[in-house]
Amino acid sequence: MTSLADYARGLPKAELHLHIEGTLEPELMFALARRNGVTLPYADVEAVRAAYRFEDLQSFLDLYYAGASVLRTAADFHDLTWAYLERAHADRVLHTEIFFDPQTHTDRGIPFATVLDGIHGALERGRRELGIGYRLILCFLRHLPEAAAEATLDAALPHLDRIDGFGLDSSERGHPPSKFARVFARARTLGRPVVAHAGEEGPPAYITEALDLLKVVRIDHGVRCVEDPALVARLARERMPLTVCPLSNVKLRVFPDLAAHNLLTLLRDGLCVTINSDDPAYFGGYVGDNFAAVAEALAPSRAELRQLADNSFEAAWLTAEERARCRQALADYDAAAT
Ligand code: ADE
Ligand code: ZN
């Protein structure tokens, strides 16, 4: 009899909330630092891991942006993305929709095209060699001015054939979605869906702003919606997907531990909850680890775990044919599970 955690880990799934810069494992960080002659403020891999004790989102972001300094060439971005795809494949990820933060790199003098060529080349290789479908989402950094996001959108225009959507990430508190209403309006005119981080550390009002002002098709995190019952009812009524990241929420102290996480409550309220890994190299687990940890801490039924995987296919930007294929893989897996 398969354990609940193994059943959860092995479910065919889509990952919808993954920052590619957040998949930089300390080993690769050191390898790239050596390759590029970058000096890191850590003696070794263990010292890096020891530094991963976070108080909140900002204390994590400070290390995350510092770590990204080793990424310089298209080969670096390729190797980073490829390492993630191999892990995702082992976790039965059939389709992944990943974020990248161009401003983290262009502000250091790395050309936009270098970043995109490396990431996109690896995603194409993953599609061919591993059968993993993908979408690529450009995120604007919300701690920077809206004018900087506008300049980033300008830089993206020649590459729109490789950009499938736009998002909003980085420091949430004090940077409401309304700050980016104009650039998101322009992004939407390009015919791409938009998403935003909201309600991770920020209040439920930020979720409402993301829905009404940015017109997002998914909310990234969104767990603080529970503080506004009318908002919870709306999210359920609209089947608005939440890309929830359980291990991230514990590491960044949104919840004291996994047993206190509200994702199962939200699922039972009828919300389209999905499970994702966010920044797995920093938070101690890839998407399979997140599924397994939820199974162990919250004791969902198998049907609920299957629903969480099915929600990931419902919320993904798939064609009807791709979605049907993913759902068939899920049905086959469930039928074969003992
Ligand atoms: N960038 C990378 N991970 C993030 C998170 N969890 N919240 C906001 N911005 C991020
Ligand atoms: Zn995130």
Side-chain angles (χ1 to χ4, degrees), residues 2 27 33 64 97 127 131-132 168 171 175 213 221 227 232 250 269 272 276-277 284 287 299-300 302 313 328:
T2 320
E27 289 78 6
Y64 163 86
E97 302 191 353
R127 188 183 59 75
I132 299 180
L168 185 65
S171 322
H175 302 286
L213 301 181
H221 293 294
E227 295 165 38
V232 172
V250 173
D269 282 344
C272 184
N276 309 273
S277 69
V287 67
R302 277 199 183 197
F313 298 133
Q328 188 59 51

Side-chain angles (χ1 to χ4, degrees), residues 36-330:
N36 293 321
V38 174
T39 307
L40 289 170
Y42 306 103
D44 51 30
V45 162
E46 285 68 43
V48 180
R49 286 222 161 80
Y52 291 175
R53 259 186 242 113
F54 309 117
E55 308 294 315
D56 56 11
L57 176 58
Q58 193 59 52
S59 63
F60 152 70
L61 289 171
D62 292 343
L63 284 193
Y64 163 86
Y65 293 128
S69 68
V70 301
L71 296 162
R72 304 204 63 85
T73 67
D76 299 339
F77 287 96
H78 171 280
D79 293 353
L80 174 74
T81 308
W82 183 251
Y84 160 68
L85 289 167
E86 288 191 311
R87 298 251 194 176
H89 187 56
D91 279 349
R92 304 234 29 211
V93 172
L94 305 184
H95 175 87
T96 188
E97 302 191 353
I98 73 171
F99 300 128
F100 75 119
D101 290 342
Q103 288 158 286
T104 300
H105 314 298
T106 54
D107 286 0
R108 299 183 286 119
I110 313 296
F112 186 98
T114 298
V115 179
L116 186 59
D117 288 350
I119 296 172
H120 188 266
L123 288 170
E124 261 302 300
R125 182 179 166 201
R127 188 183 59 75
R128 284 194 314 269
E129 295 182 20
L130 305 174
I132 299 180
Y134 68 88
R135 304 284 182 260
L136 184 56
I137 303 172
L138 184 163
C139 273
F140 302 113
L141 296 182
R142 71 201 302 161
H143 67 275
L144 298 175
E146 187 181 38
E150 293 277 13
T152 302
L153 184 53
D154 289 337
L157 291 178
H159 309 285
L160 273 186
D161 55 329
R162 292 183 287 172
I163 294 168
D164 302 297
F166 296 92
L168 185 65
D169 66 1
S170 193
S171 322
E172 187 180 6
R173 284 199 195 108
H175 302 286
S178 53
K179 178 178 164 187
F180 295 91
R182 289 137 299 260
V183 72
F184 267 67
R186 187 155 72 97
R188 289 196 313 274
T189 65
L190 301 171
R192 300 289 185 281
V194 300
V195 296
H197 284 55
E200 177 186 20
E201 281 192 344
Y206 284 19
I207 300 175
T208 304
E209 278 193 11
L211 295 171
D212 294 338
L213 301 181
L214 304 189
K215 304 195 191 304
V216 297
V217 300
R218 295 196 295 249
I219 295 285
D220 296 315
H221 293 294
V223 291
R224 282 194 61 191
C225 68
V226 288
E227 295 165 38
D228 179 349
L231 176 60
V232 172
R234 174 184 179 183
L235 293 169
R237 194 169 60 245
E238 296 180 2
R239 283 295 284 170
M240 176 59 59
L242 300 190
T243 63
V244 175
C245 306
L247 292 176
S248 162
N249 291 156
V250 173
K251 273 282 190 183
L252 300 187
R253 307 196 188 190
V254 177
F255 296 95
D257 54 39
L258 217 45
H261 204 289
N262 63 15
L263 80 92
L264 215 51
T265 310
L266 293 172
L267 184 76
R268 289 171 183 166
D269 282 344
L271 275 72
C272 184
V273 174
T274 65
I275 291 182
N276 309 273
S277 69
D278 207 5
D279 302 283
Y282 292 86
F283 300 149
Y286 285 76
V287 67
D289 301 314
N290 274 270
F291 266 86
V294 164
E296 277 172 352
L298 297 174
S301 67
R302 277 199 183 197
E304 285 170 330
L305 287 168
R306 179 180 167 166
Q307 182 69 53
L308 287 160
D310 191 77
N311 286 351
S312 74
F313 298 133
E314 176 182 334
W317 301 337
L318 296 166
T319 64
E321 194 186 315
E322 289 167 337
R323 186 172 289 109
R325 221 177 312 124
C326 288
R327 283 185 155 145
Q328 188 59 51
L330 182 56

